[in-house]
């Protein structure tokens, strides 16, 4: 499981990661299938497999207490953000937040989300979202808000 998580995290950063499964079953896990579908660009099937994985991990009585299967909601959100579906990505990130996924991971993903709006030139939305999530990490979001305001002014001054 750890290898799969690392592969997903590093893979989303553009790194190629190889790992082997030491499962007693010859069938790939839902998480492995999801990763394969994600790599192929089939977001719907990847999401379906991630959700099945979450469900199976939630009912697994041998699951370590510190394992939060809702972490995979972040990976689903990442797929949608990569596809350009910001609304859907935001929904997944917020589901992860509401299910107690690590705050630092949530903040990172929400900042990526607001950054994508900024990169698209939608500084107003980037600012509004950053202000809405500010209480999670004030210094980081304040810096982002300042940057979006500067870019918004530059855009207005250039006449775009």
């Amino acid at each position: 499981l750890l290898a799969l998580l690392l592969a997903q995290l590093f893979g989303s950063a553009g790194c190629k990661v190889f790992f082997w499964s030491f499962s007693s079953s010859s069938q790939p896990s839902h998480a492995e299938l999801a990763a394969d579908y994600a790599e192929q660009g089939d977001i719907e099937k990847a999401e379906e497999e991630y959700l099945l994985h979450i469900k199976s991990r939630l009912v697994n009585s041998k699951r370590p207490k510190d394992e939060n299967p809702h972490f995979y909601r972040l990976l689903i959100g990442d797929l949608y953000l990569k596809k350009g579906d910001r609304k859907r990505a935001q929904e997944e990130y917020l589901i992860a937040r509401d299910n107690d996924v690590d705050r630092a991971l949530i903040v990172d993903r929400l900042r990526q989300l607001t950054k994508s709006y900024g990169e698209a030139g939608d500084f107003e939305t980037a600012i509004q979202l950053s202000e809405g999530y500010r209480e999670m990490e004030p210094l980081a979001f304040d810096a982002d808000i300042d940057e979006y305001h500067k870019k918004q002014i530059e855009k207005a001054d250039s006449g775009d």
Side-chain angles (χ1 to χ4, degrees):
L1 180 61
L2 178 60
L4 179 63
L5 294 175
L6 292 173
Q8 283 297 311
L9 288 173
F10 288 115
S12 67
C15 301
K16 192 68 174 172
V17 178
F18 299 95
F19 63 93
W20 292 266
S21 173
F22 297 102
S23 169
S24 60
S25 169
S26 63
Q27 290 187 331
S29 71
H30 290 297
E32 291 168 329
L33 288 171
D36 289 344
Y37 286 128
E39 190 171 310
Q40 296 168 22
D42 192 337
I43 294 174
E44 290 74 24
K45 285 186 179 179
E47 178 180 20
E48 181 180 320
E49 291 297 331
Y50 278 134
L51 292 174
L52 288 170
H53 182 71
I54 291 168
K55 184 178 179 181
S56 71
R57 296 304 299 159
L58 286 171
V59 298
N60 185 328
S61 62
K62 295 181 181 180
R63 175 174 56 95
K65 290 189 183 291
D66 62 346
E67 177 190 336
N68 186 344
H70 292 287
F71 163 83
Y72 291 93
R73 290 292 191 161
L74 297 178
L75 301 182
I76 295 169
D78 292 348
L79 293 173
Y80 282 107
L81 187 59
K82 186 176 179 180
K83 181 182 173 187
D85 190 341
R86 294 181 191 97
K87 295 280 185 198
R88 198 59 201 277
Q90 181 181 13
E91 290 171 10
E92 293 299 328
Y93 297 152
L94 295 178
I95 290 170
R97 179 198 63 186
D98 294 344
N99 284 282
D100 300 320
V101 172
D102 182 74
R103 186 180 63 81
L105 295 173
I106 302 297
V107 167
D108 176 64
R109 293 320 203 286
L110 292 173
R111 290 183 73 207
Q112 287 180 33
L113 174 69
T114 62
K115 181 180 177 183
S116 74
Y117 279 104
E119 289 172 346
D122 188 353
F123 301 113
E124 192 61 38
T125 301
I127 292 167
Q128 287 175 348
L129 288 175
S130 295
E131 288 173 344
Y133 300 130
R134 184 185 177 279
E135 80 282 351
M136 294 179 75
E137 189 67 43
L139 290 175
F141 282 108
D142 281 348
D144 293 346
I145 292 166
D146 287 345
E147 185 66 26
Y148 300 137
H149 276 297
K150 287 177 190 175
K151 289 182 178 180
Q152 190 176 41
I153 291 168
E154 289 172 6
K155 183 178 177 182
D157 287 348
S158 71
D160 287 342

